[in-house]
């Protein structure tokens, strides 16, 4: 029991209600951060794109943690206004100088090649080559990340420092890639609960060697899924690992009839850096998931920001398109584009931290706790307050002013349990953490003073 | 008539609209503060508790001012989830040292005995005694106030200074009290008005020698009742003088069928200290009484705070339990627990001031004025403005920019009297005091430009 | 087309969306300010009042710009609670000293005579005269403007400096005016549009030599009307040039059946000074015209204030009387009474500026653009985002972070075009200027991705 008598005979909850309590209950903090970091380190070298072997290999490694179902959708399949593209694979790519030395080498970093580059094997002048080179003059040591999914093209990315050192001579340019009919691949893990009502957790898995932008979301989603396997679940949970945009569009097109089950959801991405938390609200901005994230973050003791929906960012823009309008927000640390390392080689294994991953996982676990426990109750003794003291719930000696939180939680739950307020609304109105309110409700329900409503 | 021509031929109300105007109109300020203070001084020595002779004697003295109806409810009566407790009375109590000297003496201060202490007569060591002693280490000169209504127990309260000086010897401990079947006593004064719709004013009367916490509310309620006797009343008024919690619960249990008459209400307590005003809103937070207090306080020229409802404090938590959800707020100066003297011997006759009592009375009288006069009207000349000038209501010479308030009051009342806005809403939207809006409405009604709606 | 490719292959709108864009499109800024100023200069010497030859002559000069319809309403006509007054005309007026020298002379400034002064021809002492003299002690060089429309009276206005220099002797006092049965005159210009739904623009034309207060509104209204003649119009536009108060009341009384056509409207006055903009909201405060002005001003790059409705000011108080409750706001620069020159001889040709007039005209033209183009659309491809790239609307190369506005406009319009959001609401929620949103909507409609709703 999470209730103890305080010094004055009143009641206190044991450290209930702050995010840290989940740590101690689940023991996650003693290793999950490192485990998630290890998964990221393992996936880091793989050259992922929106299709191809890289994303398949990634899903294979995730399957060592959770039993992912893999779906392969043929190139050319019409998905709403889009078409599943050709599958892209790459074996090697380089630019070699006159001496045959590879001065830009895909094998050193897969960021060197613009994703979806068409094959090429040619000798060309520096002038010709330069039209296909991309750099970041403001960050001369970093390699940018670029793609050309929907326009056939090829290119190399390199550091601006190296670019400035290129000699005016001819170069051998080779990209040993293929762009052919094949498949788009996505991974899915469905954890059934007591009801068919679903919580959707979606993350993208299509970026090559970028740690925060894609791998951190994959890692936290995977470990959230693992932790949910063991517990009883009121909701069913669906985890999607997708190529960004076209993956979400494809999944929505193939599952259009089932999306009405989705009651809550969030996109998970960029949760490994050391920045404060960002939660971006759903399109309507008033969903339960919005209230749950805002509540948990407010009580997390960490810096955070809750921002309005905009139709830009990650796949929340597809889930939140007007035809679906699903209650799906987006949970990040620093928002996409909000840090200079975004979409560069500096988003590497140094940029993400085990502690950051661990705290991000705690937040989403706390959000899940809120969703699972959030109900309406009816006070069975609604006329005046019930006498808590005779039930051993209330301090027997008046005049005590410490240990007020537990007592206030009982009083708030009783006062607002009129069938119209949820526990989360009670927590918000009272200023108390959801977990405190939940413990009080459980105790009152056990005493017969509360029953579940509707 | 409260209207005069200003220098430029426009209209001005004579200092209308601020709380001070009630002073001059009623002459209250010239003596009511002192009279209320005298009542407090008279009631101060009585040892009140939630039952017993002390509260009976208190009601007897109030009856010298207003014809209180006394109700006696037998111990053991079931009132919702509670039971009326045994009646507690006390004749004497002391702790005497080896020389027989009373070092703690109930006759010196009734705060020395924990209220509802069971009888005892024993000799015991200091060590045994200490388990029954209560002090305030942070305020070593003050005696705390403690109760043990619902758990049989006994104890003494004393200053921490005295506690530290106790010698390690045996003591004679005597509490000559009784805890027996008897009655719970409450007082009620019902002033009928034109309609059965009621305004409820409730205050607690169960604390021993504490001035601000209970006696100030009793005094202001009593003098508010006296002042209402003389005036015409649209509403009926019900004044309740109750033991806190169990008294309100008992009254509600015995009057459950009649509470639907209660249209407005407030708990009155802690209104004699020198702090700013606090109005705590009703459970719904959007009742007329909330708007009335907020308006009057905003125009009072004094420091004030309007706070949200919480299910803690005084009997507003019973009136605002979900089964009743009555529109009952709470009017105080410094909120309960918000000052160190609260529930100590320092809440004495020095702590309350005649001026504070008088200003508190003015506020509640102004609130009553708002409730009484707050109506919806319909502009009988709704197309364009009526020509106020030809009725002697409007300045005849244009170009004048002084004396704007009276003119603005006419224009606001005419513009918003569409049957949906109350005078209080018009006052709030215009920024003008309710009393100015009321005078303008009276004048316009007299001219036939306004009629009462619905 | 207002869309161009930016450096990175993305799209940018050419300076779209700020008020300046209207300048460049319409070429107004190259001369309209001066033309409006010339009209003011031409009207400045005329002695206007609420009736009489002055206002008729004013309308005659406006007719050289737009084909105003003139209505003459006989004195004594009942208009709601008012009666059309006698017609006032004045030929001459002066105060002459003993030597016959005109020391106060109507011919030097028509402000010298209180408007609607009754005729007089008498010799009187300084003491008698002083009861009819009005000055501004705080601004000793300025002549005040005063009226006495509804109380028969006479008077002179003069500078306080001159007042102090008056010798204690007898004076010849002459006002050669007439107050006789005649007419109230107003001017009206109706520009039909595709629908009978109307936009009302109302300005007063009854002040004598005051530039900002009445002539600036006349000038901007006239040039707004001229500019609307050439363009296609979804709405019909009605321009009213009226004597203040009695003119609006008369027009409303004579047109009561037709006012239901008025969907949007604003009073236009005081738009020539160098102060920031003021928009005063309609009575309900939530009309489309309120949102349109707030939006245009927010994107104007100039200082502005949006204020709540009060039943005082100009004729918005008649349009907003409870019987009509029309959605008519008021657009000004510094609000009436908000500058010392108001209603004095200092509101002269130096006080208004061509640039100020020009910028005011740009704002009201932008507001008209918003009203004309503000519609709801339905996204014809509502499930997920349509693929903008394949339509040449979207940047083909990912990774670009510049040129975001055009892309965001497309995404916002698509996301919120669910039949419930207007373009103005989309502009507000996106933070983008209406004109950018409008261009995006046009483009998307052209591509078949959007259709007009309802």
């Amino acid at each position: 029991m999470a209730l103890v008598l305080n010094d004055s005979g009143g009641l206190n909850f044991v450290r209930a209600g702050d995010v840290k309590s989940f740590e101690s209950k689940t023991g996650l903090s003693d290793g999950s951060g490192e485990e998630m970091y290890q998964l990221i380190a393992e996936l880091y070298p793989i050259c992922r794109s929106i299709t191809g072997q890289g994303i398949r290999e990634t899903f294979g490694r995730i399957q060592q943690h959770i039993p992912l179902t893999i779906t392969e959708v043929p190139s050319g399949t019409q998905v709403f206004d889009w078409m599943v593209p050709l599958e892209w694979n790459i074996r090697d790519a380089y630019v070699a100088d006159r001496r045959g030395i590879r001065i830009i080498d895909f094998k050193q970093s897969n960021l060197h090649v613009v994703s979806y580059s068409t094959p090429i094997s040619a000798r060309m002048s520096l002038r010709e080559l330069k039209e296909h080179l991309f750099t970041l003059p403001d960050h001369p040591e970093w390699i940018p990340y670029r793609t050309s999914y929907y326009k056939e093209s090829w290119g190399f990315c390199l550091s601006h420092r190296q670019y400035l050192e290129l000699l005016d001579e001819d170069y051998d340019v080779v990209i040993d890639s293929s762009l052919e009919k094949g498949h788009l691949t996505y991974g899915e893990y469905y954890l059934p609960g007591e009801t068919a009502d679903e919580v959707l957790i979606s993350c993208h898995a299509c970026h090559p060697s970028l740690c925060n932008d894609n791998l951190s979301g994959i890692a936290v989603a995977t470990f959230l899924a693992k932790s949910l396997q063991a517990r009883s679940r009121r909701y069913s949970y669906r985890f999607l690992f997708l190529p960004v945009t076209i993956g979400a569009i494809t999944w929505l097109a193939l599952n259009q009839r089932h999306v009405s089950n989705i009651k809550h959801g969030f996109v998970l991405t960029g949760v490994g850096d050391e920045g404060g938390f960002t939660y971006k609200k759903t399109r309507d901005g008033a969903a339960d998931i919005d209230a749950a994230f805002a509540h948990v973050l407010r009580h997390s003791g960490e810096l955070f920001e809750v921002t309005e929906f905009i139709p830009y960012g990650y796949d929340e823009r597809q889930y939140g398109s007007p035809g679906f309008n699903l209650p799906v927000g987006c949970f990040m640390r620093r928002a996409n584009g909000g840090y200079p390392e975004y979409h560069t080689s500096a988003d590497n294994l140094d940029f993400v931290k085990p502690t950051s991953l661990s705290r991000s996982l705690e937040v989403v676990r706390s959000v899940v706790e809120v969703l699972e426990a959030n109900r309406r109750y009816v006070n069975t003794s609604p006329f005046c307050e019930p006498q808590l003291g005779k039930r051993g719930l209330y301090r027997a000696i008046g005049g005590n002013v410490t240990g007020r939180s537990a007592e206030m939680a009982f009083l708030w739950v009783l006062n607002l349990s009129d069938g119209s307020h949820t526990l989360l609304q009670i927590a918000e109105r009272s200023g108390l953490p959801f977990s405190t309110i939940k413990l009080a409700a459980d105790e009152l329900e056990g005493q017969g003073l509360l029953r579940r409503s509707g």
Side-chain angles (χ1 to χ4, degrees), chain A:
Chain A
M1 184 59 228
L3 296 168
V4 294
L5 283 180
N6 62 24
D7 295 346
S8 311
L11 289 165
N12 266 343
F13 294 120
V14 184
R15 300 190 62 227
D18 52 320
V19 169
K20 286 203 180 65
S21 64
F22 289 104
E23 255 180 76
S24 41
K25 274 159 62 189
T26 59
L28 276 172
S29 66
D30 43 23
S32 68
E34 288 297 338
E35 289 178 62
M36 289 186 282
Y37 187 85
Q38 284 310 317
L39 176 57
I40 289 173
E42 182 186 341
L43 298 174
Y44 180 61
I46 301 171
C47 181
R48 278 165 295 275
S49 186
I50 54 172
T51 61
Q53 287 307 327
I55 197 165
R56 276 191 199 96
E57 183 182 345
T58 299
F59 293 154
R61 305 229 179 175
I62 298 172
Q63 281 176 321
Q64 294 169 10
H65 295 270
I66 50 174
L68 225 51
T69 303
I70 307 299
T71 302
E72 299 273 358
V73 183
S75 300
T77 304
Q78 186 73 30
V79 285
F80 297 125
D81 192 53
W82 301 62
M83 191 171 283
V84 172
L86 297 176
E87 182 175 327
W88 183 69
N89 284 290
I90 183 166
R91 282 155 297 278
D92 196 5
Y94 60 86
V95 173
D97 65 12
R98 294 178 72 169
R99 292 162 300 162
I101 297 175
R102 292 183 170 207
I103 56 169
I104 305 175
D105 188 356
F106 170 73
K107 296 212 151 73
Q108 298 222 336
S109 168
N110 54 41
L111 295 177
H112 277 313
V113 179
V114 170
S115 194
Y116 261 66
S117 279
T118 47
I120 186 168
S121 179
R123 170 162 295 196
M124 63 184 68
S125 68
L126 177 62
R127 189 158 162 275
E128 285 172 286
L129 176 60
K130 274 190 169 178
E131 296 192 3
H132 295 268
L133 297 183
F134 301 94
T135 71
L136 293 168
D138 288 349
H139 295 284
E141 300 298 323
W142 298 351
I143 307 166
Y145 162 57
R146 290 184 75 89
T147 67
S148 186
Y149 301 141
Y150 302 105
K151 181 181 169 190
E152 295 210 355
S153 164
W154 64 268
F156 283 88
C157 298
L158 68 163
S159 75
H160 198 64
R161 183 192 48 70
Q162 186 182 10
Y163 176 85
L164 294 174
E165 290 166 359
L166 290 176
L167 300 175
D168 188 7
E169 57 179 40
D170 284 356
Y171 291 90
D172 284 317
V173 177
V174 173
I175 299 180
D176 180 11
S177 67
S178 60
L179 196 55
E180 294 166 350
K181 275 188 176 278
H183 293 82
L184 176 149
T185 314
Y186 65 76
E188 194 168 4
Y189 178 40
Y190 181 74
L191 259 171
E194 291 164 22
T195 68
D197 288 347
E198 258 179 59
V199 180
L200 179 77
I201 296 104
S202 175
C203 56
H204 66 283
C206 55
H207 286 18
S209 292
L210 297 173
C211 282
N212 199 42
D213 188 4
N214 92 144
L215 297 183
S216 70
I218 290 172
V220 172
T222 300
F223 278 74
L224 175 61
K226 286 172 80 162
S227 80
L228 285 171
Q229 291 170 328
R231 66 163 287 164
S232 71
R233 294 175 301 272
R234 176 178 164 202
Y235 286 105
S236 300
Y237 290 80
R238 186 180 302 275
F239 291 82
L240 297 180
F241 299 82
L242 305 159
V244 79
T245 307
I246 187 64
I249 292 169
T250 300
W251 185 86
L252 284 163
L254 300 183
N255 295 276
Q256 193 169 359
R257 291 201 190 158
H258 305 303
V259 297
S260 62
N261 284 341
I262 299 172
K263 302 306 178 197
H264 317 284
F266 54 93
V267 168
L268 195 55
T269 177
V271 287
D273 64 273
E274 294 181 291
F277 291 117
T278 302
Y279 175 72
K280 177 183 161 185
K281 291 199 277 188
T282 65
R283 180 175 183 264
D284 285 353
D288 285 351
I289 189 74
D290 299 321
F293 264 106
H295 180 84
V296 167
L297 290 172
R298 192 150 45 238
H299 288 273
S300 71
E302 303 212 24
L303 285 175
F304 73 97
E305 195 180 8
V306 174
T307 64
E308 295 301 317
F309 176 82
I310 62 166
Y312 196 80
Y314 293 100
D315 285 330
E316 66 277 6
R317 59 201 271 198
Q318 309 307 333
Y319 302 121
S321 57
F324 290 113
N325 196 25
L326 294 173
V328 176
C330 179
F331 180 58
M332 304 168 274
R333 284 177 172 271
R334 274 178 287 198
N336 49 308
Y339 46 97
E341 296 85 354
Y342 176 75
H343 277 195
T344 77
S345 57
D347 180 5
N348 58 23
L349 286 166
D350 291 333
F351 190 64
V352 296
K353 307 292 177 188
T355 310
S356 297
L357 294 163
S358 172
R359 294 291 292 148
S360 298
L361 177 58
E362 286 169 28
V363 168
V364 296
R365 283 175 55 83
S366 296
V367 166
V368 163
E369 295 294 326
V370 170
L371 297 176
E372 286 283 324
N374 193 28
R375 296 179 182 280
R376 288 177 177 80
Y377 291 85
V378 170
N379 177 340
T380 59
S381 185
F383 296 106
C384 300
E385 289 169 10
Q387 192 177 2
L388 299 180
K390 72 182 179 189
R391 293 177 173 83
L393 283 172
Y394 204 69
R395 59 193 191 213
I397 297 284
N400 163 42
V401 290
T402 63
R404 188 67 62 80
S405 282
E407 183 183 348
M408 288 310 297
F410 288 126
L411 294 174
W412 274 113
V413 171
L414 286 167
N415 189 274
L416 294 180
S417 285
D418 51 11
S420 77
H421 296 84
T422 63
L423 289 190
L424 181 53
Q425 288 170 325
I426 297 173
E428 285 291 281
R429 186 153 164 195
S430 70
L432 295 169
F434 182 86
S435 51
T436 304
I437 292 294
K438 167 66 165 53
L439 286 170
D442 288 348
E443 191 68 9
L444 291 167
E445 190 182 12
Q447 294 271 354
L449 287 170
L450 229 53
R451 61 174 170 75
R452 298 185 182 194
S453 156

